[in-house]
Amino acid sequence: MRDRFCSVFVLAWLLMSPGCDNNGYNSPDPDELDHHSHLVVMHFRTVNHAADTLGVVSVTAGSGYLLARRDAARQLSRTSMAPAHLPVPTQFVYPDSQVHTCSTYIDHYVGYQSRYGGDTTHFGEMDRYGTWVMEMIPNEVGATFAARESASVYSYEIVPVPDTVRPGGILDLDIEVDLHGLLVWQPSAAKYNMYPENHIHVTQR
């Protein structure tokens, strides 16, 4: 009787268990299939200092990542994948207009793309079931001002980030940051917002 009870319990647990993939995706994790890494080089340049009314000296993300994303799930439930993490920290705004360079690595998930009809000539085109876009998501963002004050900043995603796989394999990005309206003080929430749209432009070399 005891053995029968244990068998029924185990069967019920197996039926209820989501399996190894606890995110509910109906495709394997891309890390489980063939993939390799390429260098990402980011060249930051800050422009329009004279138009900045807040006295911004620097804007830095304490963490963040590059995210491949599509809006709607179709045959596959997986709608996003983070192939790269930003260097820690990553400075976006500098007190001059010189070019400042940093680097990281990005995974190229060729095995997953080949299995599900993605475009292997792009890092983020993971499958054939939707339009994918590559974004840069800065987290833990903070700003320093000319008055030597500092404050945390709420940031939206930086999009689009071009992600064509070049013959040499390096993802080489020019990132121009326009200070004219990049940061806005929101009195009702007592915080600064960073608006990348129309203020942060990413192009690929």
Side-chain angles (χ1 to χ4, degrees):
M1 181 70 179
R2 182 178 179 182
D3 291 342
R4 184 179 177 185
F5 174 79
C6 290
S7 298
V8 170
F9 176 79
V10 170
L11 178 62
W13 181 84
L14 288 172
L15 290 173
M16 292 186 297
S17 173
C20 294
D21 191 346
N22 57 15
N23 290 316
Y25 296 124
N26 58 6
S27 66
D29 192 296
D31 284 334
E32 297 175 9
L33 302 174
D34 181 35
H35 64 282
H36 53 270
S37 295
H38 290 290
L39 183 66
V40 180
V41 181
M42 294 175 284
H43 312 270
F44 290 93
R45 187 168 74 95
T46 309
V47 299
N48 279 337
H49 290 275
D52 169 37
T53 60
L54 298 175
V56 180
V57 173
S58 69
V59 176
T60 304
S63 66
Y65 48 92
L66 291 176
L67 180 73
R69 180 183 60 81
R70 61 182 167 95
D71 289 331
R74 297 184 184 179
Q75 280 80 356
L76 298 180
S77 59
R78 187 178 301 277
T79 58
S80 64
M81 185 61 202
H85 291 274
L86 297 180
V88 179
T90 303
Q91 188 167 342
F92 288 85
V93 172
Y94 290 84
D96 54 50
S97 294
Q98 298 178 19
V99 175
H100 298 266
T101 302
C102 65
S103 63
T104 186
Y105 288 91
I106 186 169
D107 285 320
H108 190 196
Y109 292 110
V110 291
Y112 189 95
Q113 291 173 320
S114 297
R115 177 178 292 190
Y116 297 109
D119 181 0
T120 58
T121 67
H122 291 269
F123 287 103
E125 193 76 24
M126 299 299 292
D127 62 47
R128 65 181 180 275
Y129 300 119
T131 300
W132 289 79
V133 63
M134 186 72 79
E135 304 174 337
M136 188 179 295
I137 314 290
N139 291 327
E140 301 172 10
V141 180
T144 302
F145 301 92
R148 297 188 178 182
E149 298 174 347
S150 60
S152 60
V153 176
Y154 178 82
S155 176
Y156 298 88
E157 66 273 6
I158 300 168
V159 62
V161 174
D163 64 339
T164 301
V165 180
R166 303 293 195 208
I170 297 177
L171 181 60
D172 211 351
L173 303 174
D174 285 314
I175 303 172
E176 184 179 88
V177 183
D178 186 348
L179 274 179
H180 187 195
L182 175 69
L183 292 190
V184 175
W185 170 250
Q186 186 180 351
S188 59
K191 65 177 183 179
Y192 290 94
N193 288 340
M194 184 170 83
Y195 294 104
E197 186 177 6
N198 299 322
H199 296 100
I200 299 181
H201 308 280
V202 185
T203 55
Q204 186 175 0
R205 294 187 176 186

